[in-house]
Amino acid sequence: MNTEQARARIDQLTEELREHNHKYYVLNTPSISDYDFDMLLKELEQLESAHPELAHENSPTKRVGGDITEKFEKYTHRYPMLSLSNSYSKEEISEWAARLEKTIENEEVEFVMELKYDGVAISLTYENGELVRAVTRGDGETGEVVTANVRTIRSIPLKLKGDAWPSSFVIRGEIFFPLEKFEALNKQREADGLELYANPRNTASGTLKNQDSKLVAERQLDCLLYSIYAPEQLVTNHYDGLTHASEWGFKVPPAAKKYIGKANSVDGIMEFISYWDEHRHQLPFEIDGIVIKVNQYDQQERLGMTAKSPRWAIAYKFKAEAALTRLNEITYQVGRTGAITPVANLEPVLLAGTTVKRASLHNADQIKKLDIREGDYVYVEKGGEIIPKVTGVELSKRPADSKPHVYITHCPECGTELIRKEGEAQHYCPNETGCPPQIKGRMEHFISRKAMNIDGLGPETIDQLWEAGLLKNAASLYQLKAEDVLPLERMGERSVEKLLEGLTASKERPFAKVLFALGIRYVGETVAKKLTKEFKTIDALQAASLEELVAVDEIGDRIAESVIEYFAEEKNQEIVALLREAGLQFEAEESEGPTSALLEGKSFVVSGVFTQYSRNEIKAAIEANGGKNVGSISKKTDYVLAGDKMGPSKLKKAEDLGIPIISEQDFIDMIN
Ligand code: IVH
């Protein structure tokens, strides 16, 4: 393909992919299969990497992330980002409406009601139809530039449709975590033995400020837009403005789903509010209220603003839904990692559309702080958190004979004395190898799809095998015989055969999966892959020092310490030895290896943001040419490959150690 043909195909693919993106993520009406979409995207990626100069700045391939932001630049908003004043009742809304009428005399005032999305505000600037900047709210005057991350949010257009938009304008909206994606993320974290995220809002906010845009892309955030700022508006009111924005490709609240409404009176406003107060839990994202706005721009202008918020808009905040019910008993749960969670067992009560029987009490400090006792009447709330929590005690209903709760000192499952590490709120049961829920939890992780993927074995069978005394640890699975399993309930010959076949097949699982399956704290799938690639064998990994571990790209102290702690335990060494004896893979298969030896023996630290290739592409090129990527600069580093915005401390360290600092172009020249 010559350059002209490549250009034409790149342009065509870019356009087609944009259209598919819009249909899928903005309109929710996909027109091709995911597979076909991926094929087109792959083709575009290949063409762009062969002809980087032809790639569009806002190409759909940029959606998958890859750019790393070392430090978010500050940016002063062209229009300050104000907040809204809050109201909590019909009276307050009526007072607000009455105040408006003093300024807007003898004119109809039309109101627009929208959902108040519970996420993070974002300000997007478009110039000549292309996204040029995305900035967080910050303090309202100055925010942080998070463009690389925002590009990965598929419902935000990188290039606008048509040509009827102002040549330069700002559009604002809320970035949020769709509930389904948030729950899936927490499920994955649970499987990886990581702490769960508390609520979608904070997680969206943390994600948006993550330095790795690839991670942001994986999280699949979404965005709904709610206001447009242009030097000259093309329409006379807010509602029509949003309709326009929708034509340009933005995701705005769909009227068909009642995400937006119009009213001419306080009663009309209240109708919208009551509807959503009742139905908000059916939404695929969280809202914390309703925003009411004066529709006409000229009326908005006359109303103006106070120091903090516009007079033409107000938020109605829903009350956090709370219920009062009796706390019958405090029990304790032991997780896979041994963490103890106190649980309130409640008299069942209806809350936000579901019956609640249990609520989290978090930890010992929380129980003490609120002086929560068995037999108390407690307030239970579903705030931003998914799991309901106890927020207070109704002291007037406290029984006369009530006694302060005494937190347990020993594990409710195995009786071992609990420990509490300095600076941590949670108590732990340290009996990793003898405490049933910990063993069973680890075993469930071991057999799970992303780990050993053992067909014919699920959590219920693990339970049965455990009850029958057939399991001590993961290695016991490989010692199971048909005659041990056959007597168990619901275990026919066919299921036993399937289980044994599944176990045999799992012996072919590659080392990275086995390492992940061991359930070492903080060693998730990606970390397991990195470690196997670097150390190749379990012996080498087991022998690695802290320094050697942290020298691996993207492995920090926390992970390194956890790996060292794991292998220091004699019981873990035993399990590894037994699994090895059973025939599991503890060595990485020879990978395809480098295709050239140009950079053999050379180690690189790659840092900053690059223009021609993504950071990951550069790292892949280093490895393909026989070089090695390392995480931090040391005397042994051969080159520091510096992109834009590389942190000053890294630069200084490289200079101090006299390590050559090369640019992206130097590197490209080096390998060509
Ligand atoms: S309009 C002058 N509309 O609520 C402010 N804001 O307290 C104009 N928010 O930071 C904001 N949903 O992030 C508006 N439909 C909506 C909204 C909304 C959520 C957030 C926004 C802002 C905060 C105001």
Side-chain angles (χ1 to χ4, degrees), residues 183-209:
E183 280 153 23
L185 172 67
N186 260 348
K187 220 176 218 161
Q188 184 58 50
R189 289 183 69 83
E190 196 172 13
D192 290 351
L194 300 172
E195 205 176 314
L196 299 193
Y197 288 125
N199 64 57
R201 185 203 333 107
N202 293 356
T203 317
S205 163
T207 303
L208 198 62
K209 297 262 203 74

Side-chain angles (χ1 to χ4, degrees), residues 82-84 114-117 121 137 174 226-227 291 293 310:
L82 303 173
S83 59
L84 292 168
E114 285 167 30
L115 306 181
K116 189 167 187 304
Y117 320 108
R137 179 172 187 276
E174 198 87 348
Y226 55 62
S227 31
V291 183
K293 302 173 182 176

Side-chain angles (χ1 to χ4, degrees), residues 358-417:
R358 287 148 65 84
S360 170
L361 292 167
H362 299 294
N363 52 48
D365 292 347
Q366 178 75 358
I367 296 178
K368 201 164 167 195
K369 193 172 113 201
L370 299 176
D371 186 18
I372 298 167
R373 306 178 181 191
E374 287 181 340
D376 269 345
Y377 273 79
V378 292
Y379 290 99
V380 189
E381 269 185 28
K382 257 193 196 168
E385 280 74 23
I386 299 289
I387 306 161
K389 58 181 180 195
V390 171
T391 53
V393 175
E394 182 50 62
L395 291 175
S396 67
K397 285 180 169 253
R398 174 167 279 174
D401 60 351
S402 127
K403 292 196 183 56
H405 181 71
V406 182
Y407 205 80
I408 49 166
T409 53
H410 290 74
C411 176
E413 299 279 347
C414 72
T416 306
E417 189 170 356

Side-chain angles (χ1 to χ4, degrees), residues 452-476:
M452 298 308 286
N453 189 23
I454 300 176
D455 260 353
L457 190 56
E460 305 80 35
T461 318
I462 290 283
D463 245 5
Q464 276 184 298
L465 293 167
W466 169 265
E467 296 302 333
L470 291 166
L471 291 187
K472 222 171 80 200
N473 52 46
S476 335

Side-chain angles (χ1 to χ4, degrees), residues 419-476:
I419 54 164
R420 186 172 170 180
K421 286 192 190 152
E422 219 182 279
E424 286 194 13
Q426 224 73 16
H427 283 74
Y428 279 90
C429 166
N431 183 14
E432 277 176 36
T433 47
C435 180
Q438 295 190 56
I439 303 173
K440 278 198 273 182
R442 274 201 306 274
M443 213 95 74
E444 279 166 19
H445 167 73
F446 184 85
I447 63 167
S448 64
R449 203 170 45 81
K450 290 187 168 174
M452 298 308 286
N453 189 23
I454 300 176
D455 260 353
L457 190 56
E460 305 80 35
T461 318
I462 290 283
D463 245 5
Q464 276 184 298
L465 293 167
W466 169 265
E467 296 302 333
L470 291 166
L471 291 187
K472 222 171 80 200
N473 52 46
S476 335

Side-chain angles (χ1 to χ4, degrees), residues 80-86 114-122 137 173-174 225-227 229 238 253 288 290-291 293 308-310 312-313 315 317:
M81 282 181 92
L82 303 173
S83 59
L84 292 168
S85 49
N86 290 328
E114 285 167 30
L115 306 181
K116 189 167 187 304
Y117 320 108
D118 199 7
V120 201
I122 193 77
R137 179 172 187 276
E174 198 87 348
L225 283 312
Y226 55 62
S227 31
Y229 300 77
H238 168 69
D288 62 341
I290 299 295
V291 183
K293 302 173 182 176
K308 280 194 306 210
S309 47
W312 48 263
K317 295 283 272 246

Side-chain angles (χ1 to χ4, degrees), residues 1-14 43-44 46-56:
M1 193 182 278
N2 67 29
T3 310
E4 269 330 294
Q5 287 165 325
R7 185 195 307 278
R9 184 66 184 148
I10 286 179
D11 289 355
Q12 186 193 10
L13 284 167
T14 303
E43 186 186 346
L44 181 57
Q46 279 162 358
L47 280 171
E48 287 182 349
S49 91
H51 306 270
E53 72 288 357
L54 300 180
H56 292 253

